[in-house]
Amino acid sequence: MAYNLEKFKKGLDDLQIHLDEKQMRQFLTYYELLVETNKVMNLTAITEFDEVIEKHFLDSLSLCRVKDLRSLEDRPEAYRILDLGTGAGFPGIPLKIAFPKLQIVLADSLNKRIRFLQEVIDTLGLEDVTAVHGRAEEMGRNTLYREQFDLCVSRAVANLSSLSEYCLPFVKMGGAFISYKSGEVDEEATQAKRAIYLLGGEVKDIYKFDLFDQKRSFVVIEKERKTPKAYPRKAGTPTKEPLQ
């Protein structure tokens, strides 16, 4: 099938990302797998090509606005990223396609999504990317994952206080948690400040940008102290009772 790639190429140019023919083909195959699987499994409400390009692919790749991902690929040791609550693979799969040397773990609590992600990984021939089935509260206490990542990212729709409790336990000292948010995030970040401090983090930047007609932002939280062993709390608690 022929696709109009004008919007995708413009967005990539804005982000100063160059994709070769293989990478472009991987994105198109990913789109086709997403749309086909979405017919039998609820992965996304967004299926029209240009919308997926903008609201999933380019939005995911916008992380390079706040992190020089190309330079991180050249580190002697692998740069480890956890995509928590990845859903249909955003932002982790687009980041892996565009920056193939990054080491990425995709985590989600629904096993059927993990099966879909494994199909994507296998079909696209991606290496050094793992799809893991598990709840954040349990994974965050597991020594295999706790404080093992340079960066945790999440596009999950949740309160920043709750998200920080889910995500910061995975980040090693000196690393960061970056939350994908809409443009209106200042009040939410202010309200979450004490919770973030309790969890060992500090908000270092709120980066706002326009993605075509969307107002988007990144909340960059750096890990300055170890997360106390009490966090994350038991399953469901961070969402029902966000830290104040």
Side-chain angles (χ1 to χ4, degrees):
M1 183 176 175
Y3 295 100
N4 183 346
L5 299 174
E6 190 177 326
K7 187 172 199 175
F8 198 17
K9 288 178 176 176
K10 182 187 184 309
L12 291 169
D13 285 346
D14 288 346
L15 295 171
Q16 298 182 317
I17 293 174
H18 172 73
L19 300 180
D20 62 24
E21 192 176 323
K22 176 187 175 184
Q23 289 167 305
M24 190 64 81
R25 196 163 58 246
Q26 285 174 320
F27 269 108
L28 296 180
T29 302
Y30 182 23
Y31 169 73
E32 289 168 356
L33 286 169
L34 177 72
V35 171
E36 195 57 36
T37 307
N38 201 61
K39 292 175 183 175
V40 293
M41 183 196 311
N42 183 23
L43 291 169
T44 176
I46 299 165
T47 55
E48 194 270 322
F49 183 70
D50 271 4
E51 273 205 284
V52 171
I53 290 296
E54 176 185 336
K55 296 179 180 177
H56 285 327
F57 292 175
L58 291 173
D59 188 63
S60 294
L61 294 173
S62 293
L63 184 69
C64 68
R65 293 175 183 271
V66 290
K67 275 282 175 190
D68 185 355
L69 298 173
R70 189 65 70 202
S71 71
L72 293 172
E73 281 194 300
D74 296 331
R75 294 192 341 169
E77 72 280 10
Y79 189 80
R80 298 195 74 207
I81 299 177
L82 173 68
D83 175 8
L84 194 66
T86 184
F90 306 116
I93 296 282
L95 292 172
K96 183 65 188 178
I97 295 172
F99 304 98
K101 292 180 188 172
L102 298 175
Q103 192 176 99
I104 296 182
V105 173
L106 310 166
D108 199 88
S109 60
L110 272 185
N111 200 35
K112 62 182 181 178
R113 289 191 197 129
I114 295 300
R115 287 197 297 271
F116 164 72
L117 294 171
Q118 193 58 57
E119 182 188 1
V120 172
I121 291 165
D122 294 342
T123 304
L124 302 187
L126 301 176
E127 298 177 352
D128 274 339
V129 55
T130 312
V132 178
H133 174 230
R135 291 188 66 104
E137 301 95 330
E138 292 156 8
M139 288 179 64
R141 293 179 170 277
N142 186 329
T143 53
L144 282 175
Y145 304 109
R146 190 177 180 92
E147 298 190 331
Q148 295 298 310
F149 294 90
D150 300 287
L151 177 65
C152 181
V153 292
S154 184
R155 286 176 87 223
V157 179
N159 175 285
L160 189 59
S161 176
S162 303
L163 275 178
S164 297
E165 185 171 351
Y166 289 130
C167 293
L168 276 170
F170 293 100
V171 180
K172 60 173 72 167
M173 292 283 288
F177 159 46
I178 298 181
S179 177
Y180 285 66
K181 287 285 185 181
S182 70
E184 303 304 316
V185 74
D186 298 86
E187 185 179 343
E188 187 181 341
T190 300
Q191 290 172 348
K193 198 171 180 180
R194 183 174 175 274
I196 291 166
Y197 179 82
L198 277 175
L199 296 160
E202 186 173 329
V203 176
K204 290 295 182 181
D205 190 22
I206 297 176
Y207 180 89
K208 297 184 178 183
F209 63 98
D210 292 333
L211 180 59
F212 296 98
D213 295 331
Q214 294 185 83
K215 298 288 184 187
R216 302 290 288 153
S217 64
F218 288 110
V219 182
V220 181
I221 299 169
E222 292 186 0
K223 183 76 168 274
E224 301 195 332
R225 299 169 306 283
K226 281 187 169 290
T227 301
K229 289 181 180 177
Y231 305 107
R233 291 168 292 166
K234 66 181 182 181
T237 307
T239 300
K240 291 175 192 166
E241 302 169 21
L243 290 170
Q244 299 297 317

